[in-house]
């Protein structure tokens, strides 16, 4: 079955519309190429994510429940963030302390997901959503990408930007790149989002020794919708995440909420809304150490797990893939 109306081979297919996939696509489009991104999600940005909530009484809330902010070490990604700031889609976030490792903390405006949407719109990227790839196989000089609905798209080149442990599902567990991916486990992170009818005692706190390693007042960020409530995002540390990963979202919420209340000096009665999100593949603490994998002609693989657990690393990894493709012509 021909997939998504693509009856001819697509020059470059990118799997994943996280910051890595967007990086490659925008560089390729700027060079006159016509890549197509496919993502299994309803939105774009991957782990750079924003959740919007409407309570039964009409109260509207939003939470950056994935990446909290972006920082730039290198000039390339600094220029990307600078362009987003100029366009009004990113601003600095001052937490009142050094939570950004001495670098400016840049957030999307009005939401973290604005970073991804801004990049996609500026470059006019072609993105197919709700498209979960299930296998990627070579067929002569072409690549066949099969999707969950059974449709197939052919491509001359394919760039995979899924988390490393998920490569086996696409390439087969015996593929060399899948074996490499399996050797780079990614650590989970459990995230609590909550809204309270109480003032905030602080803006952000980081302490890996605590079960809640990161706590941030989300509505201290510019332009956040919170309808007069204080909104919070809390992330568990690694040992808590591993211990409770397989619990249900409700169970995780029930465990994390009292911890948050204790840190903020709140009672359960102050909490208006709470929910938990499980990031199974949140961060690669021991990255590959190379910008990308190129196991065979036409197949490229990258993402944050190549260079480090940061948005910039995801960007740089797959920018290097785009540069390699353009250099080969
Ligand atoms: C809780 C949390 C907090 C973080 N905080 C920060 C922070 O403050 N600062 C920072 O710099 N970094 C932070 N990070 C890390 C940062 O979010 C990541 O490094 C970066 O977003 C990774 O981008 P990526 O494109 O490589 O991967 P992803 O964002 O994971 O993108 C992969 C994309 O591939 C799609 N996909 C996966 N499988 C398939 C498939 N089979 N078919 C189609 N599509 C598929 C997914 O839907 C997703 O959109 C945080 C991460 C988490 C989880």
């Amino acid at each position: 079955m021909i997939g998504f109306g693509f009856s001819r081979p697509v020059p470059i297919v990118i799997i994943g519309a996280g910051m890595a996939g967007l990086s490659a696509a925008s560089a390729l489009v700027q060079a006159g190429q016509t890549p197509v991104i496919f993502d299994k999600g309803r939105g774009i940005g991957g782990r750079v994510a924003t959740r919007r909530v409407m309570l039964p009484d009409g109260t509207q809330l939003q939470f950056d429940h994935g990446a909290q902010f972006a920082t730039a070490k290198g000039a390339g990604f600094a220029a990307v963030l600078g362009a987003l700031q100029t366009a009004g889609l990113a601003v600095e976030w001052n937490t009142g302390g050094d939570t950004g490792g001495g670098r400016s903390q840049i957030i999307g405006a009005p939401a973290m997901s604005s970073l991804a949407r801004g990049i996609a719109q500026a470059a006019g990227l072609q993105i197919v959503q709700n498209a979960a790839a299930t296998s990627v196989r070579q067929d002569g000089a072409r690549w066949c990408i099969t999707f969950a609905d059974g449709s197939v798209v052919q491509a001359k080149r394919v760039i995979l930007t899924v988390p490393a442990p998920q490569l086996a599902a696409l390439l087969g567990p015996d593929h060399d790149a899948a074996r490499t991916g399996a050797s780079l486990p990614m650590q989970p992170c459990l995230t609590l989002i909550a809204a309270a009818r109480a003032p905030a005692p602080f803006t952000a706190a980081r302490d890996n020794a605590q079960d809640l390693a990161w706590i941030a007042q989300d509505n201290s960020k510019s332009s956040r919708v919170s309808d007069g409530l204080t909104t919070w995002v809390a992330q568990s540390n690694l040992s808590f995440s591993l211990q409770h990963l397989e619990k249900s979202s409700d169970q995780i919420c029930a465990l994390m909420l009292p911890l948050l209340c204790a840190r903020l000096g709140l009672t359960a009665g102050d909490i208006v809304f709470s929910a938990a999100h499980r990031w199974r593949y949140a961060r690669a603490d021991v990255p590959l150490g190379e910008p990308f994998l190129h196991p065979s002609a036409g197949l490229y693989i990258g993402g944050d797990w190549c260079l480090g657990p940061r948005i910039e690393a995801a960007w740089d990894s797959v920018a290097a893939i785009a540069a390699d493709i353009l250099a080969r012509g």
Side-chain angles (χ1 to χ4, degrees), residues 29-53:
V29 164
Q30 277 163 27
Q33 306 276 327
T34 53
V36 182
I37 307 182
F38 295 86
D39 197 289
K40 67 181 179 183
R42 278 179 295 146
I44 64 170
R47 280 170 273 162
V48 177
T50 300
R51 178 163 164 194
R52 291 177 177 78
V53 175

Side-chain angles (χ1 to χ4, degrees), residues 15-20 38-40 45-48 66-69 131-133 161-162 166 170 189 191 235 279 282 303-304 309-311 314:
I15 302 297
M19 295 301 276
F38 295 86
D39 197 289
K40 67 181 179 183
R47 280 170 273 162
V48 177
Q68 298 295 287
F69 54 81
T161 69
V162 305
Q166 295 183 320
L170 294 180
C189 177
T191 299
Q235 298 166 353
W279 294 100
D304 65 337
R310 298 171 56 243
I311 297 170

Side-chain angles (χ1 to χ4, degrees), residues 23 183 238 274 326:
S23 163
S183 74
L238 180 57
S274 61
L326 294 171

Side-chain angles (χ1 to χ4, degrees), residues 7-179:
S7 54
R8 293 180 170 182
V10 175
I12 304 173
V13 159
I14 300 171
I15 302 297
M19 295 301 276
L22 297 173
S23 163
S26 50
L28 291 166
V29 164
Q30 277 163 27
Q33 306 276 327
T34 53
V36 182
I37 307 182
F38 295 86
D39 197 289
K40 67 181 179 183
R42 278 179 295 146
I44 64 170
R47 280 170 273 162
V48 177
T50 300
R51 178 163 164 194
R52 291 177 177 78
V53 175
M54 186 181 303
L55 302 183
D57 67 358
T59 299
Q60 297 198 50
L61 306 169
Q62 71 176 81
F63 301 89
D64 295 329
H65 64 300
Q68 298 295 287
F69 54 81
T71 52
K73 289 182 187 172
F77 192 58
V80 173
L81 293 180
L84 287 164
Q85 285 179 271
T86 302
L89 294 166
V91 292
E92 271 195 51
W93 180 40
N94 186 353
T95 54
D98 179 18
T99 48
R103 295 180 194 91
S104 293
Q105 301 172 156
I106 306 297
I107 56 170
M112 275 305 276
S113 55
S114 309
L115 299 179
R117 280 205 302 277
I119 289 162
Q121 282 165 9
L125 303 184
Q126 190 174 359
I127 303 175
V128 182
Q129 291 165 239
N130 297 308
T134 53
S135 86
V136 175
R137 298 281 184 272
Q138 195 163 17
D139 179 13
R142 290 178 182 169
W143 289 88
C144 293
I145 303 104
T146 306
F147 292 85
D149 66 355
S151 57
V152 176
V153 172
Q154 292 193 328
K156 293 180 183 162
R157 287 175 166 131
V158 59
I159 303 174
L160 305 181
T161 69
V162 305
Q166 295 183 320
L167 289 171
L170 294 180
L171 297 170
D174 295 330
H175 194 286
D176 281 349
R179 287 183 200 276

Side-chain angles (χ1 to χ4, degrees), residues 70-290:
T71 52
K73 289 182 187 172
F77 192 58
V80 173
L81 293 180
L84 287 164
Q85 285 179 271
T86 302
L89 294 166
V91 292
E92 271 195 51
W93 180 40
N94 186 353
T95 54
D98 179 18
T99 48
R103 295 180 194 91
S104 293
Q105 301 172 156
I106 306 297
I107 56 170
M112 275 305 276
S113 55
S114 309
L115 299 179
R117 280 205 302 277
I119 289 162
Q121 282 165 9
L125 303 184
Q126 190 174 359
I127 303 175
V128 182
Q129 291 165 239
N130 297 308
T134 53
S135 86
V136 175
R137 298 281 184 272
Q138 195 163 17
D139 179 13
R142 290 178 182 169
W143 289 88
C144 293
I145 303 104
T146 306
F147 292 85
D149 66 355
S151 57
V152 176
V153 172
Q154 292 193 328
K156 293 180 183 162
R157 287 175 166 131
V158 59
I159 303 174
L160 305 181
T161 69
V162 305
Q166 295 183 320
L167 289 171
L170 294 180
L171 297 170
D174 295 330
H175 194 286
D176 281 349
R179 287 183 200 276
T180 303
S183 74
L184 299 167
M186 294 180 69
Q187 285 72 38
C189 177
L190 305 180
T191 299
L192 176 73
I193 57 176
R197 211 178 295 283
F202 56 82
T203 303
R206 188 194 295 282
D207 181 355
N208 285 332
Q210 302 261 4
D211 286 339
L212 300 188
W214 168 259
I215 300 174
Q217 185 200 353
D218 210 52
N219 71 308
S220 69
K221 298 175 173 177
S222 169
S223 318
R224 266 49 183 177
V225 174
S226 72
D227 274 359
L229 302 173
T230 41
T231 52
W232 295 94
V233 173
Q235 298 166 353
S236 61
N237 68 9
L238 180 57
S239 64
F240 185 99
S241 301
L242 290 170
Q243 189 182 350
H244 301 295
L245 182 61
E246 302 307 336
K247 292 194 167 70
S248 71
S249 295
D250 285 349
Q251 288 171 321
I252 293 167
C253 187
L255 286 168
M256 293 179 76
L257 189 57
L259 299 175
L260 180 68
C261 285
R263 293 278 293 279
L264 299 178
L266 303 181
T267 65
D270 295 319
I271 302 299
V272 175
F273 166 80
S274 61
H277 185 90
R278 181 188 357 211
W279 294 100
R280 187 172 291 278
Y281 303 118
R283 44 186 297 133
D285 286 331
V286 184
L288 178 68
E290 297 167 29

